[in-house]
């Protein structure tokens, strides 16, 4: 899943470079869907600044992306804690680069009204020499606001689809405090600590107790439950 999400992040990065960034500020309700689940909640955009809110595993999460400062804050209102990440963290580099891909794009392949907003649809396909293929459709307003994305990543015999959609669009100046750290939050030093404290691990292993040597009928059955956790979401959304 991490590889697929990284691939989509690369696709979004390429699309952002190819298309003009919005000059207007706006807010709305963002829905982000993969085969692992759905994240949705209020969102706001200003120049080089973004804010996204959602509920994950019953916990409130707020992402504030500050490209003007090359960092991102991940806030947990329920615990008044946050973690800070650099947008250029070398640990997040998976070795892929846009220069490695052959990119094909069509800027206008039709018009469509999405959630009451007039949009122009564009298409982008990225091919890697190793056979990996990324592609999708993007619906944007004349102001460059991304209203919808429907994309597919193909790697060897696996496929994954992702959808992004913005509704309740309101174009206008956003409150600057939405993109600042609120007072009263404590900084945490590690993503692993934060996940354990606020959300639980992305992977949970439940192993049967086999300490009783006389109980040969109790099989040892590790059960791994994979979730669409915060780490995976950050890998995609930070790009």
């Amino acid at each position: 899943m991490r590889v697929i999400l990284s691939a989509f992040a690369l696709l979004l990065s390429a699309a952002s470079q190819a298309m003009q960034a919005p000059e207007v500020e706006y807010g709305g309700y963002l829905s982000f869907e993969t085969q692992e689940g759905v994240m949705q909640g209020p969102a706001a955009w200003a120049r080089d600044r973004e804010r996204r809110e959602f509920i994950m595993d019953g916990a409130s999460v707020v992402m504030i992306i500050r490209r003007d400062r090359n960092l991102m804050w991940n806030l947990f209102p329920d615990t008044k804690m946050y973690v800070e990440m650099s947008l250029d963290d070398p640990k997040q580099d998976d070795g892929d680069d846009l220069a490695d891909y052959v990119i094909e794009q069509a800027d206008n392949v039709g018009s469509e009204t999405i959630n009451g907003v007039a949009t122009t649809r564009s298409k982008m396909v990225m091919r890697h020499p190793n056979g990996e293929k990324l592609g999708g459709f993007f619906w944007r307003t004349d102001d460059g606001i991304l209203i919808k994305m429907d994309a597919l990543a193909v790697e060897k015999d696996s496929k994954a689809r992702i959808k992004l959609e913005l509704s309740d669009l309101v174009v206008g100046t956003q409150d600057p405090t939405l993109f600042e750290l609120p007072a009263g939050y404590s900084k945490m030093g590690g993503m692993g600590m934060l996940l354990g404290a606020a959300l639980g691990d992305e992977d949970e292993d439940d192993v049967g107790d086999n300490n009783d040597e006389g109980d040969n009928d109790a099989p040892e059955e590790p059960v791994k439950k994979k979730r669409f956790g915060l780490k995976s979401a950050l890998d995609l959304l930070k790009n």
Side-chain angles (χ1 to χ4, degrees):
M1 172 54 70
R2 185 184 185 283
V3 173
I4 294 299
L5 290 174
S6 296
F8 281 124
L10 200 66
L11 179 63
L12 282 173
S13 178
S16 297
Q17 292 185 28
M19 304 171 189
Q20 183 177 0
E23 295 293 335
V24 297
E25 298 185 11
Y26 60 99
Y29 192 85
L30 185 68
S31 177
F32 171 72
E33 178 182 353
T34 74
Q35 61 191 28
E36 300 296 323
V38 179
M39 295 192 306
Q40 53 189 4
W45 286 262
R47 185 174 181 84
D48 296 325
R49 305 179 184 191
E50 299 179 28
R51 179 188 177 98
R52 305 176 186 184
E53 305 177 30
F54 54 91
I55 302 295
M56 181 177 289
D57 297 333
S60 299
V61 182
V62 178
M63 294 182 182
I64 299 178
I65 303 173
R66 294 292 301 267
R67 291 188 173 86
D68 58 333
R69 298 179 59 178
N70 200 40
L71 60 79
M72 176 171 59
W73 295 309
N74 307 288
L75 285 64
F76 290 79
D78 298 337
T79 57
K80 297 295 182 181
M81 298 176 183
Y82 78 95
V83 71
E84 183 175 295
M85 297 176 63
S86 169
L87 295 182
D88 288 334
D89 186 351
K91 295 180 181 179
Q92 301 298 325
D93 185 6
D94 60 4
D96 286 330
D97 189 275
L98 289 177
D100 297 331
Y101 290 82
V102 175
I103 302 176
E104 303 171 7
Q105 69 178 79
D107 293 332
N108 188 340
V109 292
S111 300
E112 188 174 348
T113 299
I114 306 293
N115 297 324
V117 179
T119 68
T120 298
R121 184 174 59 174
S122 59
K123 179 181 180 181
M124 177 175 289
V125 177
M126 303 170 58
R127 293 181 173 86
H128 195 279
N130 65 10
E132 178 182 321
K133 181 179 178 181
L134 317 173
F137 289 93
F138 301 82
W139 288 259
R140 293 179 181 263
T141 68
D142 290 341
D143 292 324
I145 300 173
L146 179 63
I147 299 297
K148 181 179 177 180
M149 180 187 74
D150 191 345
L152 184 70
V154 180
E155 183 181 14
K156 296 181 180 179
D157 296 328
S158 64
K159 295 181 180 180
R161 189 177 185 183
I162 191 171
K163 296 181 180 180
L164 182 150
E165 190 164 326
L166 181 68
S167 59
D168 300 330
L169 173 66
V170 177
V171 178
T173 302
Q174 300 297 299
D175 184 351
T177 63
L178 290 174
F179 311 105
E180 300 291 344
L181 273 176
Y185 276 69
S186 300
K187 184 176 182 179
M188 298 192 70
M191 180 61 71
M193 183 186 301
L194 184 60
L195 286 173
L199 295 180
D201 295 332
E202 285 192 41
D203 294 330
E204 296 179 351
D205 292 336
D206 297 324
V207 180
D209 183 4
N210 61 346
N211 292 329
D212 187 351
E213 296 180 357
D215 186 2
N216 294 324
D217 295 328
E220 181 180 345
E221 295 181 349
V223 178
K224 175 166 285 192
K225 303 174 184 178
K226 289 188 67 65
R227 298 200 300 267
F228 182 69
L230 180 62
K231 179 63 168 61
S232 298
L234 295 181
D235 286 339
L236 176 66
L237 297 177
K238 66 179 286 190
N239 287 274

